[in-house]
Amino acid sequence: MFDYLKFEDYQSKTSLMEYVNRRMIIENIQREGNIESLVVSKGFEDCVAVISDGAATVVVKSDGLLENEITQIREIVYTEAGILPQDLRIIEKADK
């Protein structure tokens, strides 16, 4: 996940923590993009994924999700980000 870090490489504990936080943000952005692409590849017209504090929210354009579609989204999120179903919120955005 992270490059090998040595405290001596950083001027302070604060700069080390800033580096770690930036890396976590970058990795979450990459995971969000992967989730969005994979969900769209399953036939959804649009998808937005947000990962924060060990949980995820996925918004999909749908007029009603089928159980197998919910399962697909859960599997994608778990595979890409390691987030369990109880920490996943799926929001349906109806077409107007």
Side-chain angles (χ1 to χ4, degrees):
M1 181 164 138
F2 297 107
D3 303 327
Y4 180 70
L5 302 174
K6 292 189 300 183
F7 182 71
E8 298 81 32
D9 294 339
Y10 295 87
Q11 293 183 1
S12 69
K13 184 177 178 181
T14 302
S15 65
L16 176 61
M17 292 306 297
E18 288 171 355
Y19 170 80
V20 170
N21 286 335
R22 279 194 303 273
R23 290 289 301 175
M24 290 174 63
I25 290 168
I26 290 167
E27 289 179 9
N28 280 346
I29 290 169
Q30 291 171 335
R31 289 180 182 120
E32 290 166 352
N34 290 345
I35 290 167
E36 292 166 357
S37 296
L38 289 168
V39 169
V40 168
S41 78
K42 295 294 183 182
F44 290 95
E45 187 177 330
D46 202 6
C47 174
V48 175
V50 178
I51 298 172
S52 179
D53 298 325
T57 301
V58 175
V59 182
V60 292
K61 190 171 184 179
S62 174
D63 290 323
L65 288 171
L66 302 174
E67 190 60 40
N68 68 317
E69 293 172 322
I70 293 169
T71 300
Q72 286 177 331
I73 294 169
R74 286 178 177 159
E75 288 175 356
I76 289 168
V77 172
Y78 180 74
T79 301
E80 293 302 312
I83 294 173
L84 298 172
Q86 62 263 28
D87 297 320
L88 169 63
R89 192 169 108 184
I90 300 171
I91 300 173
E92 298 176 58
K93 175 81 169 95
D95 197 13
K96 292 185 178 189

